[in-house]
mmCIF file of all heavy atoms in Angstrom:
data_model
loop_
_atom_site.group_PDB
_atom_site.id
_atom_site.type_symbol
_atom_site.label_atom_id
_atom_site.label_comp_id
_atom_site.label_asym_id
_atom_site.label_seq_id
_atom_site.Cartn_x
_atom_site.Cartn_y
_atom_site.Cartn_z
ATOM 1 N N ALA A 199 4.154 34.972 -4.643
ATOM 2 C CA ALA A 199 3.358 33.815 -5.264
ATOM 3 C C ALA A 199 3.102 32.735 -4.283
ATOM 4 O O ALA A 199 2.010 32.152 -4.280
ATOM 5 C CB ALA A 199 4.272 33.331 -6.340
ATOM 6 N N VAL A 200 4.071 32.444 -3.387
ATOM 7 C CA VAL A 200 3.726 31.367 -2.362
ATOM 8 C C VAL A 200 2.655 31.686 -1.421
ATOM 9 O O VAL A 200 1.783 31.007 -1.144
ATOM 10 C CB VAL A 200 5.097 31.073 -1.638
ATOM 11 C CG1 VAL A 200 4.824 30.296 -0.387
ATOM 12 C CG2 VAL A 200 6.120 30.434 -2.457
ATOM 13 N N VAL A 201 2.653 32.996 -1.048
ATOM 14 C CA VAL A 201 1.648 33.533 -0.046
ATOM 15 C C VAL A 201 0.339 33.575 -0.836
ATOM 16 O O VAL A 201 -0.707 33.221 -0.253
ATOM 17 C CB VAL A 201 2.095 34.903 0.321
ATOM 18 C CG1 VAL A 201 0.835 35.640 1.188
ATOM 19 C CG2 VAL A 201 3.272 34.904 1.372
ATOM 20 N N SER A 202 0.324 33.903 -2.021
ATOM 21 C CA SER A 202 -1.089 33.903 -2.798
ATOM 22 C C SER A 202 -1.523 32.493 -2.948
ATOM 23 O O SER A 202 -2.752 32.248 -2.783
ATOM 24 C CB SER A 202 -0.791 34.433 -4.155
ATOM 25 O OG SER A 202 -0.454 35.838 -4.043
ATOM 26 N N LEU A 203 -0.700 31.454 -3.175
ATOM 27 C CA LEU A 203 -1.145 30.134 -3.334
ATOM 28 C C LEU A 203 -1.747 29.569 -1.927
ATOM 29 O O LEU A 203 -2.736 28.914 -1.962
ATOM 30 C CB LEU A 203 -0.009 29.174 -3.784
ATOM 31 C CG LEU A 203 0.308 29.336 -5.191
ATOM 32 C CD1 LEU A 203 1.493 28.455 -5.587
ATOM 33 C CD2 LEU A 203 -0.827 28.910 -6.216
ATOM 34 N N ILE A 204 -0.984 29.930 -0.882
ATOM 35 C CA ILE A 204 -1.609 29.571 0.384
ATOM 36 C C ILE A 204 -2.921 30.176 0.708
ATOM 37 O O ILE A 204 -3.800 29.578 1.236
ATOM 38 C CB ILE A 204 -0.545 29.854 1.443
ATOM 39 C CG1 ILE A 204 0.765 28.948 1.412
ATOM 40 C CG2 ILE A 204 -1.071 29.698 2.860
ATOM 41 C CD1 ILE A 204 2.041 29.319 2.246
ATOM 42 N N GLY A 205 -2.924 31.495 0.307
ATOM 43 C CA GLY A 205 -4.236 32.118 0.649
ATOM 44 C C GLY A 205 -5.378 31.551 -0.174
ATOM 45 O O GLY A 205 -6.406 31.368 0.245
ATOM 46 N N ILE A 206 -5.037 31.328 -1.539
ATOM 47 C CA ILE A 206 -6.194 30.696 -2.330
ATOM 48 C C ILE A 206 -6.621 29.289 -1.836
ATOM 49 O O ILE A 206 -7.685 28.960 -1.872
ATOM 50 C CB ILE A 206 -5.653 30.592 -3.883
ATOM 51 C CG1 ILE A 206 -5.521 32.120 -4.388
ATOM 52 C CG2 ILE A 206 -6.602 29.709 -4.705
ATOM 53 C CD1 ILE A 206 -4.886 32.068 -5.762
ATOM 54 N N HIS A 207 -5.634 28.585 -1.544
ATOM 55 C CA HIS A 207 -5.893 27.146 -0.916
ATOM 56 C C HIS A 207 -6.725 27.321 0.411
ATOM 57 O O HIS A 207 -7.607 26.509 0.456
ATOM 58 C CB HIS A 207 -4.589 26.569 -0.615
ATOM 59 C CG HIS A 207 -4.719 25.185 -0.084
ATOM 60 N ND1 HIS A 207 -5.222 24.026 -0.804
ATOM 61 C CD2 HIS A 207 -4.496 24.580 1.122
ATOM 62 C CE1 HIS A 207 -5.295 22.965 -0.080
ATOM 63 N NE2 HIS A 207 -4.981 23.307 1.201
ATOM 64 N N ALA A 208 -6.421 28.214 1.179
ATOM 65 C CA ALA A 208 -7.139 28.471 2.407
ATOM 66 C C ALA A 208 -8.644 28.797 2.254
ATOM 67 O O ALA A 208 -9.549 28.317 2.813
ATOM 68 C CB ALA A 208 -6.420 29.367 3.341
ATOM 69 N N LEU A 209 -8.772 29.585 1.200
ATOM 70 C CA LEU A 209 -10.168 30.061 0.939
ATOM 71 C C LEU A 209 -10.997 29.130 0.242
ATOM 72 O O LEU A 209 -12.197 29.149 0.346
ATOM 73 C CB LEU A 209 -10.056 31.498 0.056
ATOM 74 C CG LEU A 209 -9.492 32.598 0.778
ATOM 75 C CD1 LEU A 209 -9.274 33.811 -0.224
ATOM 76 C CD2 LEU A 209 -10.319 33.126 1.883
ATOM 77 N N THR A 210 -10.400 28.285 -0.648
ATOM 78 C CA THR A 210 -11.169 27.364 -1.375
ATOM 79 C C THR A 210 -11.283 25.977 -0.693
ATOM 80 O O THR A 210 -12.098 25.087 -1.162
ATOM 81 C CB THR A 210 -10.519 27.124 -2.717
ATOM 82 O OG1 THR A 210 -9.197 26.623 -2.496
ATOM 83 C CG2 THR A 210 -10.613 28.453 -3.580
ATOM 84 N N GLU A 211 -10.583 25.646 0.228
ATOM 85 C CA GLU A 211 -10.584 24.374 0.967
ATOM 86 C C GLU A 211 -11.810 24.315 1.852
ATOM 87 O O GLU A 211 -11.911 25.158 2.804
ATOM 88 C CB GLU A 211 -9.326 24.240 1.841
ATOM 89 C CG GLU A 211 -9.241 22.789 2.429
ATOM 90 C CD GLU A 211 -9.140 21.737 1.336
ATOM 91 O OE1 GLU A 211 -8.519 21.919 0.273
ATOM 92 O OE2 GLU A 211 -9.649 20.605 1.701
ATOM 93 N N THR A 212 -12.737 23.337 1.534
ATOM 94 C CA THR A 212 -13.991 23.258 2.343
ATOM 95 C C THR A 212 -14.063 21.988 3.206
ATOM 96 O O THR A 212 -14.590 21.879 4.214
ATOM 97 C CB THR A 212 -15.195 23.400 1.519
ATOM 98 O OG1 THR A 212 -15.199 22.409 0.467
ATOM 99 C CG2 THR A 212 -15.309 24.777 0.962
ATOM 100 N N ALA A 213 -13.504 20.891 2.680
ATOM 101 C CA ALA A 213 -13.504 19.510 3.266
ATOM 102 C C ALA A 213 -12.379 19.377 4.144
ATOM 103 O O ALA A 213 -11.214 19.844 3.806
ATOM 104 C CB ALA A 213 -13.524 18.453 2.162
ATOM 105 N N GLU A 214 -12.616 18.584 5.170
ATOM 106 C CA GLU A 214 -11.399 18.280 6.038
ATOM 107 C C GLU A 214 -10.662 17.178 5.517
ATOM 108 O O GLU A 214 -11.163 16.258 4.992
ATOM 109 C CB GLU A 214 -11.964 17.907 7.472
ATOM 110 C CG GLU A 214 -12.582 18.945 8.313
ATOM 111 C CD GLU A 214 -12.884 18.515 9.666
ATOM 112 O OE1 GLU A 214 -12.146 17.656 10.312
ATOM 113 O OE2 GLU A 214 -13.818 19.052 10.200
ATOM 114 N N VAL A 215 -9.445 17.239 5.592
ATOM 115 C CA VAL A 215 -8.530 16.229 4.908
ATOM 116 C C VAL A 215 -7.869 15.475 6.114
ATOM 117 O O VAL A 215 -7.219 16.226 6.965
ATOM 118 C CB VAL A 215 -7.466 16.947 3.982
ATOM 119 C CG1 VAL A 215 -6.420 15.798 3.505
ATOM 120 C CG2 VAL A 215 -8.074 17.607 2.896
ATOM 121 N N PRO A 216 -7.920 14.250 6.127
ATOM 122 C CA PRO A 216 -7.346 13.545 7.235
ATOM 123 C C PRO A 216 -5.760 13.797 7.072
ATOM 124 O O PRO A 216 -5.243 13.807 6.128
ATOM 125 C CB PRO A 216 -7.572 12.050 6.954
ATOM 126 C CG PRO A 216 -8.090 12.042 5.699
ATOM 127 C CD PRO A 216 -8.524 13.353 5.258
ATOM 128 N N THR A 217 -5.189 13.824 8.286
ATOM 129 C CA THR A 217 -3.769 14.068 8.369
ATOM 130 C C THR A 217 -2.961 12.937 7.819
ATOM 131 O O THR A 217 -1.774 13.038 7.166
ATOM 132 C CB THR A 217 -3.313 14.432 9.658
ATOM 133 O OG1 THR A 217 -3.614 13.399 10.651
ATOM 134 C CG2 THR A 217 -3.788 15.680 10.255
ATOM 135 N N ALA A 218 -3.380 11.707 8.031
ATOM 136 C CA ALA A 218 -2.731 10.463 7.587
ATOM 137 C C ALA A 218 -3.775 9.537 7.054
ATOM 138 O O ALA A 218 -4.867 9.298 7.722
ATOM 139 C CB ALA A 218 -1.858 9.905 8.686
ATOM 140 N N TYR A 219 -3.569 8.894 5.976
ATOM 141 C CA TYR A 219 -4.456 7.899 5.404
ATOM 142 C C TYR A 219 -3.672 6.633 5.101
ATOM 143 O O TYR A 219 -2.780 6.668 4.298
ATOM 144 C CB TYR A 219 -5.253 8.492 4.234
ATOM 145 C CG TYR A 219 -6.157 7.336 3.513
ATOM 146 C CD1 TYR A 219 -7.273 7.051 4.165
ATOM 147 C CD2 TYR A 219 -5.819 6.735 2.423
ATOM 148 C CE1 TYR A 219 -8.091 6.017 3.669
ATOM 149 C CE2 TYR A 219 -6.568 5.745 1.893
ATOM 150 C CZ TYR A 219 -7.800 5.365 2.402
ATOM 151 O OH TYR A 219 -8.547 4.501 1.934
ATOM 152 N N ALA A 220 -3.976 5.520 5.692
ATOM 153 C CA ALA A 220 -3.416 4.197 5.400
ATOM 154 C C ALA A 220 -4.450 3.370 4.584
ATOM 155 O O ALA A 220 -5.480 3.063 5.159
ATOM 156 C CB ALA A 220 -2.942 3.458 6.652
ATOM 157 N N ALA A 221 -4.107 2.964 3.538
ATOM 158 C CA ALA A 221 -4.875 2.127 2.624
ATOM 159 C C ALA A 221 -4.941 0.723 3.388
ATOM 160 O O ALA A 221 -3.907 0.302 3.896
ATOM 161 C CB ALA A 221 -4.296 2.005 1.222
ATOM 162 N N PRO A 222 -6.112 0.132 3.335
ATOM 163 C CA PRO A 222 -6.106 -1.225 4.028
ATOM 164 C C PRO A 222 -5.397 -2.234 3.319
ATOM 165 O O PRO A 222 -5.368 -2.198 2.074
ATOM 166 C CB PRO A 222 -7.536 -1.568 3.876
ATOM 167 C CG PRO A 222 -8.251 -0.749 2.855
ATOM 168 C CD PRO A 222 -7.326 0.523 2.799
ATOM 169 N N GLY A 223 -4.509 -2.968 3.966
ATOM 170 C CA GLY A 223 -3.646 -4.013 3.275
ATOM 171 C C GLY A 223 -4.274 -5.321 3.133
ATOM 172 O O GLY A 223 -5.650 -5.463 3.526
ATOM 173 N N PRO A 224 -3.717 -6.296 2.692
ATOM 174 C CA PRO A 224 -4.373 -7.652 2.548
ATOM 175 C C PRO A 224 -4.763 -8.127 3.943
ATOM 176 O O PRO A 224 -4.141 -7.859 5.044
ATOM 177 C CB PRO A 224 -3.245 -8.500 2.029
ATOM 178 C CG PRO A 224 -1.961 -7.678 1.916
ATOM 179 C CD PRO A 224 -2.314 -6.288 2.393
ATOM 180 N N ARG A 225 -5.703 -8.895 3.992
ATOM 181 C CA ARG A 225 -6.396 -9.245 5.283
ATOM 182 C C ARG A 225 -6.088 -10.835 5.447
ATOM 183 O O ARG A 225 -5.918 -11.635 4.520
ATOM 184 C CB ARG A 225 -7.920 -9.070 5.151
ATOM 185 C CG ARG A 225 -8.139 -7.605 5.009
ATOM 186 C CD ARG A 225 -9.485 -7.049 5.371
ATOM 187 N NE ARG A 225 -10.192 -7.533 6.608
ATOM 188 C CZ ARG A 225 -10.068 -6.833 7.741
ATOM 189 N NH1 ARG A 225 -9.512 -5.654 7.761
ATOM 190 N NH2 ARG A 225 -10.835 -7.257 8.828
ATOM 191 N N CYS A 226 -6.033 -11.236 6.710
ATOM 192 C CA CYS A 226 -5.831 -12.561 7.061
ATOM 193 C C CYS A 226 -6.779 -12.988 8.055
ATOM 194 O O CYS A 226 -6.816 -12.631 9.223
ATOM 195 C CB CYS A 226 -4.425 -12.698 7.725
ATOM 196 S SG CYS A 226 -3.893 -14.330 8.167
ATOM 197 N N GLU A 227 -7.856 -13.669 7.525
ATOM 198 C CA GLU A 227 -9.005 -14.030 8.213
ATOM 199 C C GLU A 227 -9.275 -15.464 8.087
ATOM 200 O O GLU A 227 -8.874 -16.135 7.106
ATOM 201 C CB GLU A 227 -10.239 -13.266 7.898
ATOM 202 C CG GLU A 227 -10.034 -11.613 8.102
ATOM 203 C CD GLU A 227 -11.250 -10.932 7.680
ATOM 204 O OE1 GLU A 227 -12.159 -11.447 7.076
ATOM 205 O OE2 GLU A 227 -11.173 -9.702 7.876
ATOM 206 N N GLY A 228 -9.996 -16.069 9.063
ATOM 207 C CA GLY A 228 -10.525 -17.439 8.976
ATOM 208 C C GLY A 228 -11.571 -17.754 10.097
ATOM 209 O O GLY A 228 -12.072 -16.794 10.722
ATOM 210 N N ASP A 229 -11.774 -18.989 10.301
ATOM 211 C CA ASP A 229 -12.750 -19.460 11.359
ATOM 212 C C ASP A 229 -12.245 -19.196 12.805
ATOM 213 O O ASP A 229 -12.890 -19.011 13.712
ATOM 214 C CB ASP A 229 -13.140 -20.944 11.222
ATOM 215 C CG ASP A 229 -13.821 -21.102 9.857
ATOM 216 O OD1 ASP A 229 -14.705 -20.239 9.587
ATOM 217 O OD2 ASP A 229 -13.463 -21.989 9.085
ATOM 218 N N GLN A 230 -10.911 -19.266 12.827
ATOM 219 C CA GLN A 230 -10.207 -19.028 14.203
ATOM 220 C C GLN A 230 -8.884 -18.273 13.954
ATOM 221 O O GLN A 230 -8.280 -18.645 13.031
ATOM 222 C CB GLN A 230 -9.917 -20.487 14.879
ATOM 223 C CG GLN A 230 -9.322 -20.278 16.300
ATOM 224 C CD GLN A 230 -9.147 -21.620 16.824
ATOM 225 O OE1 GLN A 230 -9.293 -22.686 16.294
ATOM 226 N NE2 GLN A 230 -8.512 -21.673 18.032
#
Side-chain angles (χ1 to χ4, degrees):
V200 169
V201 169
S202 297
L203 287 175
I204 292 172
I206 291 170
H207 179 71
L209 292 174
T210 59
E211 186 64 34
T212 57
E214 287 187 35
V215 177
T217 55
Y219 175 74
R225 304 197 43 99
C226 183
E227 297 179 356
D229 296 315
Q230 183 181 358

